[in-house]
Amino acid sequence: MAVLVTGGAGYIGSHMVWKLLDEGEEVVVIDRLSTGFEWAVPPEAELVVGDIADQDLVEATIARRNVDAIIHFAGSIIVPESVADPLSYYLNNTVKSRALIESAVRKGVPHFIFSSTAAVYGGKHGEPVTEDALTLPESPYGRSKLMTEMMLADVATAHPFAYTALRYFNVSGADPNGRTGQSTKGATHLIKVACETATGKRSSMDVYGTDYPTPDGTCIRDYIHVWDLVEAHYLALKRLRAGGESIVANCGYGKGYSVLQVIDAVKRVVGHDFEVNVSGRRAGDPARIVANADRARAEFGWGPRLDNIDTIVLDALRWEEALKRRNNG
Ligand code: UDP
């Protein structure tokens, strides 16, 4: 029996693969290597290079490896890119997810965990945001993920199929054991960009907007360590296997940091200054969003272990250095 991880050669997916292997699970990855890397998949897991919407390939893989659960990471994740090119987000995140879910139903895979996002909430909600808040996404990215959540809910009503949609807040950091990290080329996420600047891969970085209604004028986000995030998936998987019903759950710490606070943390941890420029607002960015994660705690006993911004930054910096050595060597 194996767990199928889509997007397992990517950032969060590769951490999930390591976590599942650490727990003694059999793992098969499907990834078309558009942003992921073959080397990011440990040799103990099988890598099938292909598209999640290739139903013949997916269904043959499910049958061959006796897959009982799918953890679905494959997708596109950059908010401003989704504003510029919405149709590719609806294709990658909605249409292809539909094909994958259909394969799961056809082959009788009973458990499904979906990478969703805090972007489904948009910015008009109370804080910290609970799963019952209105979903009013402000970007095509958020909408493309919300539509997939809706499909999952309908499918779970119609078929013997239970899912957990985890709404991620700002995932960052790297495996504390240094086995994987965020390797994506041209990454746009704040901690990754700041670590690239701190380690000299970029000469400077920008702060997108200092006129938001927040104490220092920059956007506030809830940064969650990727290792705590994959732990949440593993606990959610165990809950589904024990007969748990379909749920949606937030994954965040309930603590917010502004863009400037994050950049200060990177400077503090790396021990030197680097060039930061102020530029205009980026499309699709809500001013602040922080999680209420009570449901993940109550439903599958998840609790943060690495909820310290300096720990997140240190692990991210270590991976950035390792990546530099890999690319030079
Ligand atoms: N951000 C920034 N400079 C960068 C990258 C991001 O000021 O180089 C800001 C961005 O505008 C947002 C916050 O950092 O307010 C978090 O952005 P990120 O892309 O990391 O995650 P998102 O919340 O969009 O998923």
Side-chain angles (χ1 to χ4, degrees), residues 77 79-80 170 188-191 193 205-208 219 221 223 259 282 285-286:
I77 58 158
V79 171
N170 287 65
T188 59
H189 288 143
L190 178 63
I191 292 183
V193 169
M205 64 172 291
D206 291 324
V207 174
Y208 299 131
C219 291
R221 295 286 184 275
Y223 294 89
V259 173
R282 202 177 67 171
D285 276 345

Side-chain angles (χ1 to χ4, degrees), residues 77-80 117 119 141 168-171 187-194 197 202 205-209 212 218-223 257-260 262-263 277 279-287 289:
I77 58 158
I78 301 171
V79 171
T117 169
Y141 168 62
Y168 306 167
F169 284 63
N170 287 65
V171 186
T188 59
H189 288 143
L190 178 63
I191 292 183
K192 172 78 176 170
V193 169
T197 316
R202 294 173 190 247
M205 64 172 291
D206 291 324
V207 174
Y208 299 131
Y212 284 95
T218 65
C219 291
I220 292 177
R221 295 286 184 275
D222 186 337
Y223 294 89
Y257 291 91
S258 72
V259 173
L260 293 180
V262 168
I263 294 172
N277 302 307
S279 70
R281 287 187 180 197
R282 202 177 67 171
D285 276 345
I289 180 154

